[in-house]
C-alpha cells in the first residue's frame, strides 16, 4: 500500500493520496483548488493513475481541486449521497465502497458538521474530514450543522478499536495523526461529555464565519466548478 | 495485518502486538512484567501464536515480560545485538529482519538512549522505543547514554517520509501515535535544533533517576529473568 499525506498551508487542509502498490491505481481525498500541480506531481512520482477524487463533505473553507484533477486524469468524482450534489460520478450510501487495484475504501456517513459528511476507512485508518479533528471537531453553526447529529457521528467513529488511526481534514496546530484511543483520552469535545454537555459546549463557541464560505460552498456544490457556480474566479486566486 | 497497542498505566509503557492476518503468527514489542495475562488474552482473542518477543532496548523503568511470555508460548526472544545480552535467541544487526507469517519486521540501530537501542519498521510504522517519544526523546544520563549519538539516531528516523507513523515505547500525556512529519513540526527536541543545541538542551535536563532502575536494568540484562539477576522479586510485585 502507498500512502501520502499533503498539507495546504493557506487553508490548513490535509489531503491524502492512497494507492495500490501493484496496480498503482489511486484515490485522492479532499484535494484543494490551487494544489493541483502538487497533487499531479505526487501521483506522477508514485507512477499512479488517479481513479477517484473523494470528498468528505461540501467544504466551507476551501474549494475542491476536483475539476482540475478530473480534467488532468479522467478520475471519477465521489462523495456522500447526502451531500445532495448532482454533479458527482459515484455518490455513496452508507457502507458503499470504492475499489482501486486490490484496495478498498469503505465509506460511512458521519453527518453533523454538514448533512453529507462522510468518513472513509482504509485498513485501520479513518479519514474523518471535519467530523473529528485532532483535539477538536467540526463546527455546527452553518450549512446544515447539528450538534446533536455530530455527537452521534463522533461516537460512531469512537466505536472503532482504539488503535485505529485518525486522519482529519484539517489541522491548525502542526499535528498530523491521531488514533481513536488518543482522541478518547485527549479530545475536549469527546472526553467526559455526554450529548447534552457536547451540545451545550458547541452552542457557546461563537466562532467567526470562515473567510471563504461565500465562494467555497457555492463552488463545492458544483463539485468545485466555480465558474458554473457564477463565482468571479479572479477573486479566489490561489497559489498554483 | 493485525495491530494492537496496549498501555501499562503503572510505567506508561506502550506495548505492541503485530500479527499476520492469515497465519496469525505474531510479534510482541516491549512487553511489561505483570501484564502477561493481558498479553496472552489479547493473543488468544486474536487466535495468534507468538513467534517473537522483541525488545527495543534494555529498559530502566520496567522489567520485560519476556520470561513469562516465553514460558507460556515458546516464542523466541529478540533484541539488538548491541545490547550485549547473551540470553537472547535472535540478536539483531542493522537491517536484520524478523518474519512472522507473510509479514516482516525490519530492525535498525538507533543508539543514544542506550547502546543497544533498536527501532523497528513494519510497513510505514516505526516503533521507536525510547529514541523518539511523542514531543520528547529518551534521556541520555544513565546506562550508556550519549546525546551526540542519540541526535544521529533521531535524524535517522526523521529521514523516513513524513507520513511514516511513530509508535513510541512510552507516553506520559495520553498520546498514542505521531508521525515523522508531526515530530519534525512539534517535537522541541527536534524542531530547529542542530547537534550542538540538542546536546546542550539534553545536558540541562537534570532529571531524577527512574524509580525502578536498580532492579529493571539488572533483570533486563538477564532478558527479564529477575531471579537469575539475584533480585528479590517480592519487592517488584506488580498487578498481575
Amino acid at each position: 500500500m502507498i500512502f501520502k499525506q499533503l498539507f495546504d498551508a493557506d487553508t490548513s487542509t490535509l489531503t491524502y493520496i492512497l494507492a495500490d502498490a501493484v496496480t498503482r491505481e489511486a484515490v485522492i481525498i479532499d484535494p484543494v483548488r490551487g494544489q493541483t500541480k502538487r497533487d499531479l506531481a505526487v501521483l506522477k512520482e508514485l507512477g499512479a493513475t488517479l481513479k477517484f477524487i473523494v470528498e468528505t463533505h461540501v467544504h466551507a473553507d476551501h474549494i475542491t481541486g476536483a475539476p482540475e484533477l478530473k480534467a488532468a486524469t479522467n478520475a471519477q468524482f465521489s462523495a456522500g449521497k447526502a451531500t445532495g450534489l448532482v454533479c458527482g460520478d459515484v455518490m455513496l450510501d452508507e457502507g458503499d465502497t470504492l475499489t482501486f487495484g486490490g484496495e478498498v475504501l469503505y465509506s460511512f456517513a458521519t453527518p453533523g458538521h454538514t448533512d453529507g459528511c462522510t468518513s472513509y476507512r482504509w485498513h485501520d485508518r479513518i479519514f474523518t474530514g471535519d467530523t473529528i479533528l485532532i483535539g477538536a471537531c467540526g463546527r455546527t453553526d452553518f450549512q446544515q450543522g447539528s450538534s446533536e447529529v455530530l455527537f452521534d457521528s463522533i461516537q460512531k467513529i469512537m466505536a472503532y478499536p482504539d488503535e485505529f488511526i485518525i486522519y482529519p481534514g484539517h489541522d491548525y496546530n502542526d499535528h498530523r495523526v491521531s488514533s481513536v484511543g488518543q482522541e478518547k483520552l485527549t479530545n475536549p469535545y469527546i472526553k467526559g461529555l455526554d450529548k447534552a454537555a457536547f451540545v451545550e459546549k458547541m452552542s457557546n463557541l461563537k466562532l467567526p464565519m470562515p473567510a471563504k464560505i461565500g465562494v467555497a460552498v457555492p463552488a463545492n456544490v458544483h463539485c468545485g466548478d466555480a465558474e458554473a457556480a457564477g463565482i468571479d474566479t479572479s477573486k479566489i486566486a490561489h497559489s498554483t
Side-chain angles (χ1 to χ4, degrees), chain A:
Chain A
M1 60 200 248
I2 292 169
F3 177 68
K4 295 295 287 181
Q5 181 183 49
L6 305 164
F7 185 70
D8 177 64
D10 189 36
T11 62
S12 297
T13 300
L14 290 160
T15 295
Y16 302 90
I17 294 177
L18 291 48
D20 179 280
V22 179
T23 68
R24 302 276 160 164
E25 286 183 312
V27 162
I28 191 166
I29 300 175
D30 287 342
V32 176
R33 182 186 173 105
Q35 293 286 8
T36 305
K37 279 188 188 171
R38 175 199 71 183
D39 298 342
L40 291 173
V42 171
L43 289 164
K44 187 178 177 185
E45 188 186 337
L46 297 172
T49 305
L50 193 63
K51 191 168 175 189
F52 294 108
I53 301 158
V54 179
E55 301 287 341
T56 55
H57 63 294
V58 176
H59 310 283
D61 51 0
H62 69 272
I63 299 177
T64 173
E68 299 159 307
L69 282 169
K70 202 171 161 168
T73 65
N74 211 29
Q76 292 192 290
F77 182 92
S78 188
K81 200 172 280 180
T83 54
L85 302 182
V86 294
C87 45
D89 301 304
V90 182
M91 301 306 285
L92 302 161
D93 261 331
E94 178 77 19
D96 281 352
T97 56
L98 298 171
T99 61
F100 50 111
E103 300 285 343
V104 179
L105 191 67
Y106 174 89
S107 74
F108 60 103
T110 49
H113 173 58
T114 72
D115 272 355
C117 278
T118 301
S119 293
Y120 299 91
R121 177 168 60 81
W122 182 51
H123 300 285
D124 60 357
R125 301 170 196 230
I126 306 178
F127 303 91
T128 56
D130 291 9
T131 299
I132 295 179
L133 307 174
I134 299 172
C137 68
R139 53 198 286 188
T140 54
D141 57 337
F142 55 72
Q143 291 174 279
Q144 312 86 13
S146 162
S147 299
E148 289 82 358
V149 173
L150 181 58
F151 180 85
D152 292 339
S153 291
I154 289 172
Q155 304 314 311
K156 193 172 178 178
I157 295 171
M158 290 296 104
Y160 279 95
D162 282 352
E163 296 82 3
F164 272 44
I165 301 167
I166 300 238
Y167 287 115
H170 297 283
D171 191 84
Y172 307 95
N173 303 300
D174 289 336
H175 293 128
R176 293 291 178 266
V177 61
S178 186
S179 68
V180 168
Q182 179 170 315
E183 290 307 301
K184 280 182 188 167
L185 290 166
T186 62
N187 192 318
Y189 295 87
I190 297 175
K191 186 181 179 182
L193 295 189
D194 61 13
K195 187 184 275 196
F198 176 78
V199 170
E200 172 72 14
K201 186 176 175 80
M202 294 300 285
S203 70
N204 291 322
L205 294 180
K206 306 199 189 332
L207 300 166
M209 277 291 115
K212 299 187 182 185
I213 190 169
V215 293
V217 171
N220 288 327
V221 298
H222 286 82
C223 298
D225 188 342
E227 292 75 8
I231 293 165
D232 179 355
T233 52
S234 67
K235 293 186 178 166
I236 53 168
H238 192 296
S239 58
T240 48

